[in-house]
Amino acid sequence: EFFDAIEKATPIAIWIGLGSLCIEILRAFIGCIMERGLVTKVWSILQWFVFSFAALGIFAISLVPYTDIDYATQQKVWPLIKRLKHKTDYLELVHAYGLFRSMTGVGGRPEVIVEGSNSLEGPWKEYDFLYKPGILDKRLPVVAPHQPRLDWQMWFAALGSYNHNPWFVHMVYRLLQGHQDVLDLLDKNPFPNKPPLFIRAHLYKYHYTRLPKNTSNVFEAIHNAGLIKNWWTREYTGEYLPIVSLNEPSLVTWLNHFGYAKNDPWPEHPSGRLYHFIKYLRSLARTLDAVVFILVLFLSGVVIGCVLS
């Protein structure tokens, strides 16, 4: 379904981009015609021709890396444009979108779920992260322009094992110790009074919740979406990290092997005013809904721009 949507959206996006570029070129040409004086007008039109030709050329060759995301659309790009892109590669004029234009886990998004308990028999409570999928009824948050490093690293951890991610085991160790600096990186602490005695991690594959198959129009889709409680469905894949406890000798030995000494002092907090001010702003931001926060910032920028103009 994802690739079907990409196949339909990519040509539309290309035509929107081309249309926008043509409108700007036309506006620039009208501006050149409106110039006073013959010499000024001719000079403006010459500049318009050069820059318009360059803009159209760059737009054309950018179609080659842009359509990497959809094979069917890329096959429709003219061979002449592909040859031109190949000849200008050494100039580094255009590039594809980012490292991960197509996310791994098409058959389901792999996610590591960290759980804690005060008994080996349970109950086990999940640690909820700020941004990555976890609790099934938690909607997708607004991330941009922030880059959530821990949640991003958790996605990489899910693609391998804890043996290749010693930082993950160190994070679990700090959770067992109840370090507030680590807990601040999470959304909610299921053990607010005292750290758990045991922590484990399981691997799941997450999927978006599907609408009922009998949905035939937009109104039914909106109605059915309102009846769905969970944003995600998930299937159990296997154990990621076995049950560990704070004073388990094998855990401490394993951490020491990777340089995470048991008695290493935790880095001291900066004592400057800037640190406390930033921490205060962060505490305020966490109490706001992400969508509301982004909209307030956007509207504030619009208002300030209007006032200054």
Side-chain angles (χ1 to χ4, degrees):
E1 292 181 357
F2 172 77
F3 288 108
D4 289 340
I6 290 296
E7 184 177 354
K8 295 177 181 178
T10 303
I12 296 175
I14 292 174
W15 283 111
I16 291 175
L18 179 60
S20 301
L21 178 59
C22 291
I23 290 174
E24 291 300 319
I25 291 175
L26 180 60
R27 289 178 58 187
F29 181 72
I30 294 174
C32 294
I33 295 177
M34 300 299 293
E35 290 285 348
R36 295 182 178 180
L38 180 60
V39 176
T40 304
K41 186 175 298 185
V42 171
W43 176 243
S44 298
I45 292 176
L46 287 175
Q47 289 180 313
W48 168 85
F49 178 80
V50 172
F51 286 110
S52 298
F53 182 80
L56 288 171
I58 292 177
F59 179 84
I61 63 176
S62 70
L63 295 178
V64 178
Y66 180 74
T67 54
D68 277 346
I69 197 171
D70 178 48
Y71 178 79
T73 305
Q74 191 174 61
Q75 296 306 304
K76 298 177 183 178
V77 177
W78 293 345
L80 176 62
I81 294 178
K82 294 181 179 179
R83 289 196 298 268
L84 181 61
K85 164 66 171 59
H86 179 71
K87 291 181 179 180
T88 58
D89 276 344
Y90 72 98
L91 296 174
E92 301 286 346
L93 294 176
V94 295
H95 296 277
Y97 275 79
L99 288 173
F100 304 101
R101 303 185 301 279
S102 178
M103 299 294 284
T104 56
V106 175
R109 178 188 173 105
E111 289 292 343
V112 176
I113 302 300
V114 181
E115 300 174 327
S117 176
N118 287 312
S119 171
L120 292 175
E121 304 299 326
W124 293 88
K125 299 179 181 179
E126 292 186 17
Y127 281 91
D128 187 27
F129 286 70
L130 283 167
Y131 304 100
K132 83 178 194 68
I135 297 176
L136 298 180
D137 61 354
K138 184 178 179 180
R139 66 176 174 83
L140 290 170
V142 175
V143 177
H146 175 56
Q147 170 67 0
R149 292 188 177 184
L150 176 59
D151 298 67
W152 182 236
Q153 287 299 113
M154 286 292 291
W155 176 69
F156 281 106
L159 299 177
S161 69
Y162 72 88
N163 290 301
H164 303 108
N165 297 278
W167 65 266
F168 174 81
V169 183
H170 188 223
M171 180 193 71
V172 169
Y173 184 70
R174 293 302 186 182
L175 290 176
L176 287 168
Q177 292 178 325
H179 268 287
Q180 191 60 43
D181 289 320
V182 177
L183 291 170
D184 285 342
L185 299 174
L186 308 180
D187 190 9
K188 295 179 181 178
N189 179 15
F191 302 93
N193 299 322
K194 185 180 179 181
L197 297 178
F198 307 98
I199 285 183
R200 69 183 184 185
H202 285 160
L203 187 64
Y204 291 85
K205 280 193 174 181
Y206 275 67
H207 306 268
Y208 286 118
T209 300
R210 296 177 180 270
L211 291 173
K213 293 183 178 180
N214 59 354
T215 302
S216 59
N217 55 60
V218 176
F219 298 103
E220 288 185 1
I222 296 174
H223 174 72
N224 291 333
L227 300 177
I228 296 175
K229 180 181 178 181
N230 293 334
W231 288 80
W232 303 94
T233 61
R234 69 183 183 185
E235 57 190 48
Y236 180 73
T237 302
E239 182 183 73
Y240 186 83
L241 178 71
I243 298 174
V244 293
S245 60
L246 185 60
N247 296 317
E248 186 174 336
S250 59
L251 173 62
V252 177
T253 303
W254 195 89
L255 289 173
N256 286 334
H257 174 72
F258 287 96
Y260 298 108
K262 177 182 178 182
N263 296 320
D264 273 357
W266 191 253
E268 295 183 1
H269 290 304
S271 57
R273 294 181 179 179
L274 179 60
Y275 166 78
H276 293 289
F277 178 68
I278 293 176
K279 188 173 182 180
Y280 173 71
L281 290 180
R282 187 170 186 265
S283 65
L284 290 179
R286 290 189 64 170
T287 61
L288 297 175
D289 180 79
V291 176
V292 175
F293 183 64
I294 295 296
L295 287 176
V296 169
L297 288 179
F298 175 75
L299 293 176
S300 299
V302 172
V303 172
I304 293 174
C306 293
V307 171
L308 294 178
S309 61

